[in-house]
């Protein structure tokens, strides 16, 4: 029996009403992966990444737990398991696998997870194509780091900069955890932006280290 | 995707790379960043007594399009008044360099940088309103 639309809405599920199974046209509970009548694989539900992994939206996640859920779900929907099924089910299994990969990519990465949480909270972190930031403190820090990197002459100097930045990122993650826990989204948005700049710096420094060849 | 010759030229031979003295009263500094990619751009102008921009320098840590956009802007603003320089639009930069659509934000960054530099210069030269704006006692 399918739950009523009202109670599903109360849980905030994206599709409050039962869908018709694409195969047998029978009712499929919102978010259900398989038709209860004919067992056909349904397309992935349009739900957020946390819900896809049956997790509550939160910054503090154990990576091991995210991985465990990811691998369990991938096993369930892996295209290999549907190799002998209809073309539609094979397509759906690929769509499930893609949705799981996208969710894992976001949930397993603290920067993307923070930005995604802000987006879900209706406070997207600055990052639109036409947006610029003019936070002098952040930019001076970013500029100073880039200048130090440009002047770094050997691998050990680059490694020292990388270690310093990685430590700063660790501090940002701790601060993000606190900001999200206390619901201070403005602080979280500022931290996420600084995180993005630090991430970019780590990428550049890593490339530089490869160029120097160490 | 083919980049235009002008863009490649500015990227490979960037004009006016460097820094001016930030503390100099004749120098305005604009520092802006692109949050989407973590790029950072510094653009500085040196303004003569006649109000004409006589020198401009930039330092950009970012992609080729961001470097080319800021290089181009430093060339364009020299010899201009602050108002003329402030009227430069990112669309002109994007058009001149034939920036591909995904790189339009680099020209936005350059426009914001020159505006910020002008604002910084003007702030240095604005009458000290905070000190002199005491209400007059009637």
């Amino acid at each position: 029996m399918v739950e009523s639309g009202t109670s599903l809405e109360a849980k905030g599920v994206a599709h409050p009403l039962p869908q018709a199974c694409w195969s047998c046209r029978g009712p499929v509970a919102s978010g259900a992966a398989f038709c209860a009548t004919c067992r056909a694989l349904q397309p992935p539900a349009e739900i957020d990444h946390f819900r896809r992994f049956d997790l509550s939206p939160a910054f503090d996640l154990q990576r091991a737990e995210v991985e465990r859920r990811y691998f369990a779900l991938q096993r369930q929907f892996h295209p290999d398991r549907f190799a002998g099924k209809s073309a539609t089910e094979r397509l759906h299994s690929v769509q499930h696998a893609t949705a799981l990969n996208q969710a894992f990519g976001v949930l397993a990465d603290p920067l993307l997870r923070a930005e995604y949480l802000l987006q879900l909270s209706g406070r997207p972190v600055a990052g639109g194509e036409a947006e610029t930031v003019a936070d002098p403190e952040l930019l001076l820090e970013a500029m100073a780091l880039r200048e130090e990197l440009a002047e770094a002459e050997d691998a050990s100097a680059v490694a020292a900069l990388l270690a310093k930045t990685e430590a700063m990122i660790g501090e940002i993650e701790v601060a993000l955890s606190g900001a999200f826990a206390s619901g201070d989204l403005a602080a979280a948005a500022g931290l996420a932006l600084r995180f993005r700049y630090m991430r970019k710096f780590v990428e550049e420094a890593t490339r530089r280290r490869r160029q120097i060849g160490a | 995707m083919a980049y235009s010759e002008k863009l490649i030229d500015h990227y490979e031979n960037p004009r006016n790379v460097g820094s001016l003295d930030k503390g100099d009263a004749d120098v305005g500094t604009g520092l802006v960043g692109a949050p989407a990619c973590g790029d950072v751009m510094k653009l500085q102008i040196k303004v003569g007594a006649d109000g004409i921009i006589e020198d401009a320098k930039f330092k950009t840590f970012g992609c080729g399009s961001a470097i080319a956009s800021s290089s181009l802007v430093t060339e364009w603003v020299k010899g201009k008044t602050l108002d003329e320089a402030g009227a430069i639009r990112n669309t002109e930069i994007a058009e001149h360099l034939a920036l591909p659509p995904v790189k339009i934000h680099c020209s936005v960054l350059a426009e914001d940088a020159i505006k910020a530099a002008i604002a910084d210069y003007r702030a240095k030269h604005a009458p000290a309103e905070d000190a002199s704006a005491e209400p007059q006692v009637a």
Side-chain angles (χ1 to χ4, degrees), chain A residues 115 126-136 139-140 142-143 146-147 150-151 193 196-197 200, chain B residues 19 22 31-42 59 61-62 101-103 105 108-109 112:
Chain A
E115 290 178 339
E129 281 294 287
E131 278 181 72
T132 56
V133 270
D135 175 351
L139 294 172
L140 283 172
M143 183 61 90
R146 294 293 199 98
E147 282 173 342
E151 286 158 15
L193 183 56
R196 181 150 288 286
Y197 268 87
K200 175 75 173 194
Chain B
S19 291
K22 198 163 134 278
L31 191 57
V32 293
C37 46
D39 288 351
V40 57
M41 178 183 289
K42 182 174 77 174
K59 209 174 233 190
F61 294 101
V102 294
K103 293 293 180 183
H105 67 282
V108 175
L109 202 57
D112 284 2

Side-chain angles (χ1 to χ4, degrees), chain A residues 8-198:
Chain A
L8 283 165
E9 262 173 4
K11 284 199 244 166
V13 174
H15 292 299
L17 296 171
Q19 311 280 304
C21 171
W22 60 270
S23 180
C24 73
R25 311 309 301 166
V28 176
S30 165
F34 295 94
C35 173
T37 311
C38 73
R39 304 303 304 158
L41 179 61
Q42 305 299 308
E46 293 192 10
I47 49 178
D48 71 57
H49 297 327
F50 291 98
R51 191 164 289 135
R52 194 169 305 285
F53 278 30
D54 200 18
L55 291 164
S56 307
F59 181 73
D60 292 329
L61 287 184
Q62 297 295 325
R63 190 185 160 97
E65 179 61 20
V66 176
E67 281 181 3
R68 192 187 64 75
R69 286 168 191 247
Y70 171 67
F71 289 125
L73 287 162
Q74 279 292 24
R75 268 195 300 279
Q76 193 181 351
F77 295 113
H78 197 279
D80 285 355
R81 299 190 56 147
F82 298 88
K85 302 280 184 165
S86 71
T88 308
E89 278 181 282
R90 293 205 306 272
L91 171 66
H92 289 165
S93 78
V94 171
Q95 290 170 336
H96 274 279
T98 305
L100 290 170
N101 285 338
Q102 282 176 348
F104 182 72
V106 169
L107 297 185
D109 179 327
L111 171 59
L112 298 183
R113 192 164 71 237
E115 290 178 339
Y116 187 66
L117 268 173
L118 286 163
Q119 191 188 319
L120 287 182
S121 314
R123 190 189 173 102
V125 65
E129 281 294 287
E131 278 181 72
T132 56
V133 270
D135 175 351
E137 207 175 316
L138 169 68
L139 294 172
L140 283 172
E141 179 185 45
M143 183 61 90
L145 276 170
R146 294 293 199 98
E147 282 173 342
E148 281 184 66
L149 179 62
E151 286 158 15
E153 278 167 6
D154 53 30
S156 68
V158 177
L161 276 170
L162 268 171
K164 182 168 99 175
T165 323
E166 298 283 10
M168 286 159 86
I169 287 177
E171 287 167 17
I172 291 172
E173 285 185 45
V174 171
L176 270 171
S177 169
F180 278 116
S182 65
D184 188 348
L185 295 182
L191 287 161
L193 183 56
R194 185 149 171 261
F195 199 158
R196 181 150 288 286
Y197 268 87
M198 292 298 146

